[in-house]
Amino acid sequence: MKKQTYAVIGSGALGGLYGAMLARAGHDVHFLLHRDYGHVSTQGLTIESIWGDFHLPNVLAHPSADTIPPVDVTIVALKTTQNHLLVDLLPPPTREGGVVFVLQNGLDVEQQSVEVVGKERVFGGCCFLCSNKIGPGHIRHIDFGKIVFGQYGEISDVMTDKGKRICAELNAAEVDAQFADDLAVVRWRKLMWNIPFNGLSVVLNASTKSLMDNVEACQLSDAIIREVHAAAAACGVEVPDAAIEITLENTRKMKPYDSSMRLDYLNKRPMEVEAILGNPLRVAQTFGHEMPRVEMLYQQLKYLDACNANL
Amino acid sequence: MKKQTYAVIGSGALGGLYGAMLARAGHDVHFLLHRDYGHVSTQGLTIESIWGDFHLPNVLAHPSADTIPPVDVTIVALKTTQNHLLVDLLPPPTREGGVVFVLQNGLDVEQQSVEVVGKERVFGGCCFLCSNKIGPGHIRHIDFGKIVFGQYGEISDVMTDKGKRICAELNAAEVDAQFADDLAVVRWRKLMWNIPFNGLSVVLNASTKSLMDNVEACQLSDAIIREVHAAAAACGVEVPDAAIEITLENTRKMKPYDSSMRLDYLNKRPMEVEAILGNPLRVAQTFGHEMPRVEMLYQQLKYLDACNANL
């Protein structure tokens, strides 16, 4: 079977890593680049990874989506704060019927992709990944890395086959990927980490390690995780109870890492507050379910985001 | 009637101001001083106040409680984080039956004074005061200033008369003071300001003005105020509903001011987290009442306090 072709919209710490691994495995991978275009089009991509370092000298780099040809799979790896751009960025690579694979944190982040290609052509996925872009075209992947993804719309045989094929290609490219039956479970489970640890790392100016080393911060993290878990259940999404303890345990074992939201905050970039906290709060509210701690964290982050924007 | 004699334990922005006003009015006021003893004993106290500036050249200054003679009224104006010292500081001035007047923020902050003199000899009070110590023996009082106080133990005629007399002496000294029937109402009402605005000003590194100018921070402040109001009711303390809106409105009108907790945090001093948040949380819990937002704020402040202590 012919290898599928890919496009990566947003070639940063996440899109750059996975796209480079697919390219190394022999796929045509078209990268949309912004600031790094000049560097990557001439010097390629450099990956330092716990899965093995490599350099990709020749990269199909694009400074604009308009030059990207139609591909089988378009990976969306922008920050969700950029999702309003997708209405212009997705049509070129998806115009001959390719699917969109939204690899972003948060809930209902597929919405803008659905508006372009329809929900029957959209996968969503979460990455459990510690990776940073440390220079132009230079990515350092320091821990974890697993992708879990699933169908955003109604489950269909065509999309199930397609998802399994993407998963097999990722695995063949040495990416730890898993195709899941229920995207909602995947997303809420990831929110159980992202909401407390992205949020508190910003509000308390803390690494995950310093949060886990403090009694009260640890109790608060636990309470927020339980609040998210209960909200998922109220929305009809059954995340196994064991995920609560696993989330804490994984965080305790994690290498010291600045969460993506903390890096955005420290670099005065917009934070993904709406995707990661606002959308889950609003979805839970439609089910009549309140999350007082998550709401408080949302309000605190909105305040800090506004302070950054006003500087 | 002979003027009562006073001692002030903790002669900072609060104790220094009220003590100086009583001394100016002709009372013997004995000030316990620590770092400022040398300055104040030779140069006196300088007060800049919205109620009128004055200098008090001759001050009954003490570097240790042991030299303070027995007085009629001992004002406790330490930080509550120093209350463990009261077991040694209170016996000298109270040894001939004088009363203790605990002018501290928080709830159940009278406990350490009660252990020394018994609850039948204790008044508690709150100050609605914006005042800072800006140099040795130099206090700047910029806004508000009212003291509202009441009996800590069972209401008794002797203590009611005593309280009225203290109140009259404060008023004669041009201090805005009010003797209240119900100390619990006074304390919870003050907590409705202290918990949100001391707490959030630290966690969000914010002035009261910047909190009130932001939609989400304002909503969060309102939610916390309502949580404290509801907890008071659950504990059998009926604070009028109107206090909710008045608290927000007063904060909107307040001159830009760094809350005492924020100043403590920025100066890496211990914060009054237990008196202002911990004690109310625990009291509410004994009534089976939870305050999730206040608890979260408590946990966040405990984390930040520990970070400061570990520096």
Side-chain angles (χ1 to χ4, degrees):
Chain A
M1 195 184 282
K2 191 170 166 294
K3 284 180 193 290
Q4 293 186 108
T5 55
Y6 287 80
V8 176
I9 307 296
S11 308
L14 187 151
L17 172 69
Y18 295 127
M21 294 183 77
L22 286 163
R24 181 181 61 169
H27 294 272
D28 281 353
V29 182
H30 297 267
F31 294 87
L32 176 65
L33 292 137
H34 186 55
R35 267 178 313 179
D36 289 3
Y37 171 73
H39 181 95
V40 172
S41 61
T42 55
Q43 322 250 344
L45 284 164
T46 301
I47 310 293
E48 292 176 48
S49 167
I50 53 164
W51 294 337
D53 301 345
F54 64 99
H55 178 69
L56 203 66
N58 299 310
V59 170
L60 299 170
H62 298 260
S64 154
D66 298 337
T67 58
I68 302 179
V71 294
D72 297 312
V73 183
T74 300
I75 295 174
V76 172
L78 293 169
K79 292 274 174 191
T80 54
T81 50
Q82 301 288 301
N83 275 6
H84 58 283
L85 303 176
L86 290 174
V87 65
D88 294 319
L89 300 177
L90 282 182
T94 63
R95 69 178 179 268
E96 291 186 5
V99 298
V100 177
F101 185 176
V102 180
L103 264 185
Q104 295 179 315
N105 285 319
L107 196 67
D108 280 338
V109 291
E110 297 85 356
Q111 205 49 51
Q112 293 87 350
S113 300
V114 165
E115 282 163 21
V116 177
V117 300
K119 69 180 174 181
E120 68 284 359
R121 279 166 62 195
V122 173
F123 294 100
C126 293
C127 304
F128 298 77
L129 172 72
C130 298
S131 179
N132 300 121
K133 205 183 79 172
I134 59 169
H138 191 168
I139 290 156
R140 182 176 289 157
H141 163 213
I142 60 168
D143 213 355
F144 300 98
K146 183 170 187 167
I147 296 173
V148 185
F149 70 109
Q151 290 172 244
Y152 183 70
E154 302 296 301
I155 306 290
S156 74
D157 288 349
V158 172
M159 283 292 274
T160 299
D161 290 348
K162 187 86 178 172
K164 287 180 178 167
R165 187 168 169 200
I166 294 170
C167 191
E169 290 185 337
L170 285 165
N171 292 338
E174 296 178 40
V175 174
D176 184 6
Q178 183 187 330
F179 185 58
D181 296 334
D182 192 336
L183 177 59
V185 172
V186 174
R187 289 232 169 266
W188 278 99
R189 185 165 184 161
K190 185 70 195 294
L191 290 171
M192 287 169 63
W193 193 88
N194 279 128
I195 290 176
F197 293 108
N198 275 291
L200 292 175
S201 72
V202 171
V203 172
L204 298 179
N205 188 28
S207 69
T208 49
K209 174 168 169 36
S210 58
L211 292 173
M212 296 307 288
D213 284 349
N214 176 271
V215 175
E216 287 86 4
C218 203
Q219 287 170 344
L220 174 56
S221 303
D222 181 72
I224 295 173
I225 289 169
R226 289 173 191 279
E227 215 173 77
V228 177
H229 184 260
C235 297
V237 179
E238 294 297 337
V239 180
D241 289 350
I244 296 170
E245 195 40 55
I246 291 168
T247 302
L248 285 165
E249 198 51 39
N250 280 347
T251 309
R252 269 189 213 102
K253 289 188 301 199
M254 195 178 281
K255 287 173 193 157
Y257 177 66
D258 270 338
S259 78
S260 60
M261 191 179 278
R262 185 162 182 234
L263 288 174
D264 286 339
Y265 178 67
L266 294 175
N267 289 296
K268 308 209 181 298
R269 295 188 294 254
M271 295 187 281
E272 298 185 280
V273 184
E274 294 301 343
I276 292 176
L277 294 97
N279 288 350
L281 274 170
R282 286 182 285 268
V283 170
Q285 271 162 7
T286 65
F287 286 86
H289 190 84
E290 300 293 326
M291 292 190 276
R293 291 172 186 80
V294 176
E295 185 179 49
M296 177 160 163
L297 200 52
Y298 169 80
Q299 291 163 325
Q300 292 180 324
L301 292 166
K302 288 293 279 186
Y303 173 82
L304 294 172
D305 209 35
C307 289
N308 256 356
N310 292 337
L311 281 178
Chain B
M1 195 184 281
K2 192 171 167 292
K3 284 178 193 291
Q4 294 185 108
T5 55
Y6 287 80
V8 176
I9 306 295
S11 308
L14 188 152
L17 172 69
Y18 295 127
M21 293 182 78
L22 286 163
R24 181 182 60 168
H27 293 272
D28 280 353
V29 182
H30 296 268
F31 294 87
L32 177 64
L33 292 137
H34 187 55
R35 266 178 313 177
D36 289 4
Y37 171 72
H39 181 95
V40 172
S41 61
T42 55
Q43 323 248 348
L45 283 165
T46 301
I47 309 294
E48 292 175 48
S49 167
I50 53 166
W51 294 336
D53 301 346
F54 63 99
H55 178 69
L56 203 66
N58 300 309
V59 170
L60 299 169
H62 298 260
S64 153
D66 298 338
T67 58
I68 301 178
V71 295
D72 297 311
V73 183
T74 300
I75 295 173
V76 172
L78 294 169
K79 292 274 175 193
T80 54
T81 50
Q82 301 288 302
N83 275 6
H84 59 282
L85 303 176
L86 291 173
V87 65
D88 294 319
L89 300 178
L90 283 181
T94 64
R95 69 180 180 267
E96 292 186 4
V99 298
V100 177
F101 186 177
V102 180
L103 265 185
Q104 295 180 314
N105 285 318
L107 196 68
D108 280 338
V109 290
E110 296 86 356
Q111 205 49 50
Q112 293 86 351
S113 300
V114 165
E115 283 163 19
V116 178
V117 300
K119 70 179 173 182
E120 67 285 358
R121 279 167 61 196
V122 172
F123 294 100
C126 292
C127 304
F128 298 77
L129 172 72
C130 298
S131 178
N132 300 121
K133 205 184 79 172
I134 59 170
H138 191 167
I139 289 155
R140 182 175 289 157
H141 163 213
I142 60 168
D143 213 355
F144 300 99
K146 184 171 189 169
I147 296 174
V148 185
F149 70 109
Q151 288 173 244
Y152 183 70
E154 302 296 300
I155 305 291
S156 74
D157 288 348
V158 172
M159 281 294 272
T160 299
D161 290 347
K162 187 87 178 171
K164 286 179 179 169
R165 188 170 169 199
I166 294 170
C167 192
E169 290 185 336
L170 284 166
N171 291 338
E174 297 178 38
V175 174
D176 185 7
Q178 184 187 330
F179 185 57
D181 297 334
D182 191 336
L183 177 59
V185 172
V186 175
R187 289 233 170 266
W188 278 99
R189 185 163 184 161
K190 185 71 195 291
L191 290 171
M192 286 169 62
W193 192 88
N194 279 128
I195 291 176
F197 293 108
N198 274 292
L200 292 176
S201 72
V202 171
V203 172
L204 298 179
N205 188 29
S207 69
T208 49
K209 175 168 169 36
S210 58
L211 293 173
M212 296 308 287
D213 284 349
N214 176 270
V215 175
E216 286 86 2
C218 203
Q219 287 170 343
L220 174 56
S221 303
D222 181 72
I224 294 173
I225 289 169
R226 289 173 191 278
E227 215 172 77
V228 178
H229 184 260
C235 297
V237 179
E238 293 297 337
V239 180
D241 289 351
I244 295 169
E245 193 41 53
I246 291 168
T247 302
L248 285 165
E249 197 51 38
N250 280 346
T251 309
R252 269 188 213 104
K253 290 188 303 199
M254 195 178 281
K255 289 171 192 156
Y257 177 66
D258 269 338
S259 78
S260 60
M261 191 178 277
R262 184 162 183 234
L263 287 174
D264 287 339
Y265 178 66
L266 293 175
N267 289 296
K268 310 210 178 299
R269 295 188 294 254
M271 295 187 282
E272 298 185 277
V273 184
E274 294 302 343
I276 293 177
L277 294 97
N279 288 349
L281 275 170
R282 286 182 284 268
V283 169
Q285 270 161 8
T286 65
F287 286 86
H289 190 83
E290 300 293 326
M291 293 189 275
R293 290 171 187 83
V294 175
E295 184 178 50
M296 176 159 164
L297 200 51
Y298 169 81
Q299 291 163 324
Q300 292 181 324
L301 291 166
K302 289 293 279 185
Y303 172 82
L304 293 173
D305 209 35
C307 288
N308 256 356
N310 292 336
L311 282 179

